[in-house]
C-alpha cells in the first residue's frame, strides 16, 4: 500500500516508517520540521518532504494515489498555560481538520490517527464502598503535606486505580489533551460524513531508542536518562508511586503497521500499551541500576495538574488487531539505559 506518513521526521514516526517499509509498503513522508522538536534550521531528512499539514494545496498534491494516511504529526507538551492554546489548536486541531478535508477531496478513506492516553484525564478509580468513581480533585494543601493519593468524592476514602478501557469518560486536563481529543472528534465526524474509517491509537508512555532529550517531546524516561548521563540522580516527583504503562516504540511502530493493514471500519479507538503497570519510581530505579548511576531521589515535589495514576486496558487492541506488546517494561527500560537518544536541538 501507499501510505502517507505525517510527522515523518519525528521519534515515533521514524520507527513507524521503518516498520511500514519493512512490511513492503510505500511510504510518503511529510514533516513541517518544527524548531522546538528538531532544532532551529534543522535540515529535512532525506526522503521526507517539508510540508505543513495545514497547507491544503500541498496536501492535495501528495495525496494522489495514497491508500491510507498515518497521521503522527502533532505539537506535544503539557500545555498547562492558557496562552499555549492557539499553538496546540493551530497545529493539532486545524492541522487535522485540513488533512481530513483534503483526504475527503482526494477520496482517501482510511486514517490511522496518533492519539494519546491524555484524553482519559485522571484515569479510572474504584472506591471500596462506592465502586467506580471520579476522584475528588487533589488539593494543594494535601499535596504540600505529601498526601498524593486520590480520594473518593463521597466518603473521602483512598481510591485504587483500575484499568482504563476505551469506553472510559474522556476528560482532558491540559491544552494538549484537549487538542488530542479534538483530533479524535474531528476524525469521528469525518467517518460519519464520508463513510471512511479511523483507527485512533491512544499511546501511553512511549519510550525507546532515538527518543529526543531535553525538549517538550521528551518523556520522563528520557529526562531520567539525561540526569544519569550528567552524573546526577534522577529526581522523582511526589512519592514515586504514580502508576503508568510504558510501551516501547518498536511496539508502537508495529501496532501502526497492523492498523494500516487491518482496514477496520468506522471509528475505532485503541489503547496502545504494554499491559504491565509500573511506577515512576520503579522506572527511575531500573534506569539508574542499568546505567550504573546514582539512586533516584524522591523529592516530594509535584506539578499542578499531574494525574496520580493512568493504567491502560490492552484487551481491545489484542482482540481487534491481535496486538500484544513484545517488549516488557523491565526488559525495555533496562535496554533504554544505554540506548541512543536524539541530540539536544539548538535553541532559538
Amino acid at each position: 500500500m501507499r501510505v502517507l506518513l505525517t510527522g515523518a521526521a519525528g521519534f515515533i514516526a521514524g520507527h513507524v516508517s521503518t516498520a511500514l517499509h519493512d512490511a513492503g509498503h510505500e511510504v510518503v513522508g511529510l514533516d513541517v520540521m518544527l524548531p522546538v522538536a528538531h532544532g532551529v534550521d534543522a535540515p529535512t531528512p532525506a526522503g521526507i518532504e517539508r510540508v505543513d499539514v495545514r497547507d491544503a494545496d500541498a496536501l492535495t498534491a501528495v495525496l494522489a494515489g495514497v491508500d491510507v494516511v498515518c497521521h503522527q504529526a502533532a505539537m506535544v507538551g503539557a500545555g498547562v498555560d492558557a496562552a499555549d492554546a492557539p499553538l496546540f489548536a493551530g497545529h493539532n486541531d486545524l492541522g487535522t481538520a485540513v488533512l481530513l478535508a483534503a483526504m475527503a477531496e482526494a477520496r482517501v478513506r482510511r486514517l490511522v490517527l496518533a492519539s494519546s492516553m491524555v484524553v482519559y484525564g485522571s484515569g479510572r478509580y474504584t472506591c471500596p464502598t462506592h465502586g467506580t468513581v471520579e476522584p475528588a480533585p487533589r488539593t494543594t494543601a494535601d499535596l504540600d503535606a505529601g498526601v498524593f493519593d486520590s480520594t473518593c468524592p463521597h466518603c473521602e476514602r483512598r481510591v485504587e486505580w483500575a484499568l482504563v478501557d476505551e469506553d472510559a469518560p474522556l476528560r482532558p486536563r491540559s491544552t494538549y489533551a484537549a487538542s488530542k481529543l479534538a483530533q479524535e472528534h474531528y476524525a469521528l465526524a469525518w467517518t460519519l460524513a464520508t463513510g471512511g474509517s479511523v483507527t485512533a491509537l491512544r499511546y501511553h508512555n512511549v519510550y525507546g531508542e532515538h527518543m529526543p532529550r531535553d525538549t517538550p517531546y521528551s518523556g520522563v524516561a528520557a529526562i531520567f536518562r539525561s540526569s544519569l548521563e550528567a552524573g546526577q540522580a534522577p529526581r522523582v516527583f511526589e512519592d514515586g508511586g504514580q502508576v503508568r504503562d510504558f510501551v516501547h516504540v518498536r511496539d508502537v511502530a508495529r501496532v501502526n503497521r497492523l492498523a494500516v493493514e487491518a482496514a477496520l471500519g468506522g471509528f475505532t479507538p485503541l489503547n496502545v500499551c504494554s499491559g504491565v503497570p509500573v511506577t515512576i519510581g520503579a522506572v527511575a530505579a531500573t534506569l539508574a541500576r542499568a546505567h550504573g548511576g546514582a539512586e533516584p531521589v524522591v523529592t516530594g515535589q509535584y506539578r499542578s495538574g499531574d494525574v496520580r495514576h493512568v493504567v491502560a486496558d490492552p484487551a481491545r487492541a489484542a482482540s481487534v488487531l491481535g496486538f500484544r506488546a513484545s517488549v516488557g517494561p523491565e526488559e525495555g527500560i533496562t535496554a533504554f539505559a544505554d540506548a541512543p537518544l536524539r541530540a539536544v536541538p539548538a535553541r532559538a
Side-chain angles (χ1 to χ4, degrees):
M1 285 187 286
R2 184 176 173 89
V3 183
L4 179 64
L5 176 64
T6 71
F11 162 52
I12 292 175
H15 288 269
V16 172
S17 180
T18 298
L20 291 172
H21 276 297
D22 289 349
H25 301 293
E26 179 186 359
V27 178
V28 179
L30 310 179
D31 204 297
V32 73
M33 302 300 294
L34 285 175
V36 70
H38 301 286
V40 177
D41 298 325
T44 306
I48 295 175
E49 296 185 49
R50 193 162 191 153
V51 172
D52 191 329
V53 293
R54 297 170 295 182
D55 185 340
D57 291 337
L59 288 176
T60 298
V62 298
L63 279 166
V66 165
D67 299 297
V68 56
V69 175
C70 191
H71 185 31
Q72 306 292 319
M75 181 174 179
V76 308
V80 295
D81 191 325
D84 296 332
L87 286 172
F88 285 101
H91 285 284
N92 299 353
D93 305 0
L94 178 60
T96 300
V98 172
L99 174 62
L100 290 168
M103 289 174 63
E105 182 69 20
R107 299 187 179 278
V108 178
R109 293 291 186 262
R110 294 189 52 224
L111 175 70
V112 176
L113 174 67
S115 187
S116 172
M117 59 175 274
V118 296
V119 301
Y120 294 123
S122 298
R124 175 168 282 178
Y125 300 84
T126 60
C127 169
T129 302
H130 296 97
T132 300
V133 295
E134 176 71 14
R138 300 193 297 175
T139 67
T140 300
D142 280 345
L143 294 171
D144 286 341
V147 179
F148 301 115
D149 286 307
S150 299
T151 58
C152 176
H154 308 295
C155 64
E156 298 186 354
R157 294 181 67 181
R158 173 181 168 178
V159 293
E160 300 292 337
W161 61 263
L163 294 179
V164 177
D165 64 24
E166 292 83 353
D167 295 325
L170 306 180
R171 297 189 177 96
R173 293 169 54 90
S174 70
T175 304
Y176 169 61
S179 74
K180 297 306 290 183
L181 183 54
Q183 286 183 305
E184 288 199 16
H185 285 167
Y186 278 114
L188 171 58
W190 178 84
T191 66
L192 298 174
T194 66
S197 67
V198 174
T199 305
L201 301 176
R202 293 174 178 166
Y203 301 158
H204 285 252
N205 293 266
V206 184
Y207 71 99
E209 54 267 21
H210 307 302
M211 192 174 191
R213 67 168 89 220
D214 303 325
T215 81
Y217 294 72
S218 302
V220 67
I223 293 169
F224 290 157
R225 264 283 306 270
S226 293
S227 295
L228 289 165
E229 289 175 358
Q232 301 169 354
R235 295 178 61 80
V236 179
F237 282 0
E238 300 189 12
D239 59 359
Q242 310 94 301
V243 180
R244 298 289 190 272
D245 189 299
F246 282 75
V247 58
H248 197 278
V249 70
R250 291 199 301 273
D251 281 322
V252 175
R254 181 163 58 88
V255 78
N256 272 273
R257 176 186 62 79
L258 292 171
V260 162
E261 296 172 348
L264 302 178
F267 180 85
T268 307
L270 298 173
N271 283 327
V272 176
C273 58
S274 72
V276 182
V278 62
T279 67
I280 299 298
V283 171
T286 299
L287 283 171
R289 182 170 59 252
H291 191 80
E295 292 186 3
V297 173
V298 177
T299 67
Q301 297 174 328
Y302 62 88
R303 293 180 298 187
S304 177
D306 271 2
V307 173
R308 182 59 173 169
H309 308 299
V310 181
V311 185
D313 187 341
R316 184 180 294 179
S319 173
V320 171
L321 290 181
F323 170 75
R324 294 174 179 81
S326 62
V327 182
E330 180 70 24
E331 170 196 355
I333 293 168
T334 297
F336 182 67
D338 297 304
L341 301 184
R342 181 175 297 182
V344 178
R347 302 298 183 187

